[in-house]
Each structure stands twice: as C-alpha cells, then as structure tokens.
Amino acid sequence: METGSPDDTGTAGATQAADRAGPPDQAGPVLPAGPAGPADPAREEPVWTGLPPGLLRMRRLLLVVWLGLLTLAAGVLPALFLAPLWAALALLPLALLAWGWVMLGRNWRSWRYAERADDLLISRGVLWQEETVVPYGRMQLVEVTSGPVERHFGLASVQLHTAAAATDATIPGLDPAEAERLRDRLTELGEARSAGL
C-alpha cells in the first residue's frame, strides 16, 4: 500500500495543484513554475508500506475464537439454568464481534511505515493518529520477535529501541523475511549514523 513515490512530480502534480486553486478568476496571481530539475528531497512525500494481510487474518481469527466462546457461554448457560429467553444475551457478544471485525480492518489499514534517508516513519491510528519518527542515529537495538500465534501465521514483529524510551516503536505483523531485511538495514544505517556523530 503506497501513497506516494519519488516519481509523483511533474504535470500530474501541477494539474492537481491547479485544480485545488480553483477557477482562474478567483485564484491569486499565477507564479512561474520553478526550474525543471530534481525535486527537493526534503519535500518529497515518503513511500509508505502497509502491513501484510496475514496480521489482519490472525487478529480476526483471535476475535472470532474469544467472542465465539463468549457468545456460546452467554447463550447456552442462561438458557439452561434460567429460561430460554435469556439466550438472547448471546446477541451482545455477536454485536461486539461485528463491530470488532470492522474496527480491526480499519486499524490494520492505518498501520504503515516509510524508510527515509535519515529516519524511519511509523504511522498508525484511526481516531487518534500517531506518527513516530525514529532517527537511524538514535537506534540502539533492533530486534525481531515472533510469538507462537505469530509463527503459526508466518508473521514477525520488529521492535526498535532508542536512547529515549518514548521513541521506542514496533512494526507488527511483518513477513519474517521482510522483518529480517528491515532489522539488518536499520542496524546498518544506525551504526553508520552513530559513527558519523
């Protein structure tokens, strides 16, 4: 899932800017275009990478398992010991399951990361969006972790540790090969940046 690339400059960008400016009679003075040449790297939009769908499948399966058991308990036990009408209590966990299914999808789509020249960006969140910038020179430890459930789904997480605990970050649910590639690249860039300080 990419939302920007270094090749997004040119006539398409100029057309979009003109469309946003509105009609010519309402827009301000037209400024001449800058010299044709490479775009300023500091102003380029980062190339975002989304998380693989395996993470969403794993989280939804866990949701179905736990809320499925709760639905059975809420429907069967009251019906057996009280009255059959109490089986309607099972509708509450089912509604929670439907809501959680949608929210897990939205949360999964909100996670993304971008590797830039000097730092790593991690963006996440639906209602409260959070973007973490981890400078390569501040990284002290990059580790790949994978619990039993993650291993079953072929997933791994990359944990970034920095000098300041507030900037520690995690990228969950990556393919193990991508997690190892990211770990090796971030470690290499971190060593190069810290040696240059």
Side-chain angles (χ1 to χ4, degrees):
M1 174 173 72
E2 296 180 344
T3 59
S5 71
D7 299 326
D8 282 348
T9 59
T11 57
T15 304
Q16 292 172 351
D19 290 344
R20 284 192 300 268
D25 59 342
Q26 295 176 356
V30 178
L31 300 175
D40 181 12
R43 296 179 57 187
E44 283 184 8
E45 180 70 22
V47 179
W48 293 100
T49 304
L51 300 182
L55 178 66
L56 180 61
R57 282 194 299 271
M58 179 188 77
R59 288 180 173 173
R60 282 182 169 169
L61 178 65
L62 291 174
L63 178 75
V64 167
V65 167
W66 289 111
L67 286 180
L69 292 173
L70 185 61
T71 301
L72 285 175
V76 173
L77 294 177
L80 288 176
F81 296 112
L82 298 173
L85 185 61
W86 285 95
L89 287 175
L91 294 177
L92 185 61
L94 283 177
L96 191 59
L97 175 66
W99 178 78
W101 187 275
V102 172
M103 292 310 293
L104 283 175
R106 291 182 65 194
N107 181 268
W108 170 75
R109 283 189 296 276
S110 75
W111 274 88
R112 57 191 186 154
Y113 64 95
E115 300 171 59
R116 298 195 304 184
D118 296 319
D119 50 37
L120 177 74
L121 296 177
I122 302 171
S123 178
R124 63 197 170 279
V126 178
L127 294 177
W128 289 274
Q129 296 179 351
E130 184 178 339
E131 190 168 288
T132 305
V133 180
V134 184
Y136 296 136
R138 302 281 176 112
M139 287 187 207
Q140 292 184 331
L141 174 68
V142 181
E143 61 183 350
V144 175
T145 60
S146 184
V149 177
E150 285 181 311
R151 280 196 306 273
H152 177 74
F153 282 88
L155 301 172
S157 297
V158 174
Q159 177 75 40
L160 310 167
H161 299 280
T162 62
T167 57
D168 286 0
T170 302
I171 305 174
L174 296 173
D175 294 322
E178 170 65 8
E180 290 175 10
R181 182 204 67 81
L182 196 57
R183 178 199 59 202
D184 294 343
R185 182 172 190 278
L186 295 177
T187 302
E188 179 183 330
L189 288 170
E191 289 172 354
R193 295 299 190 280
S194 61
L197 292 178

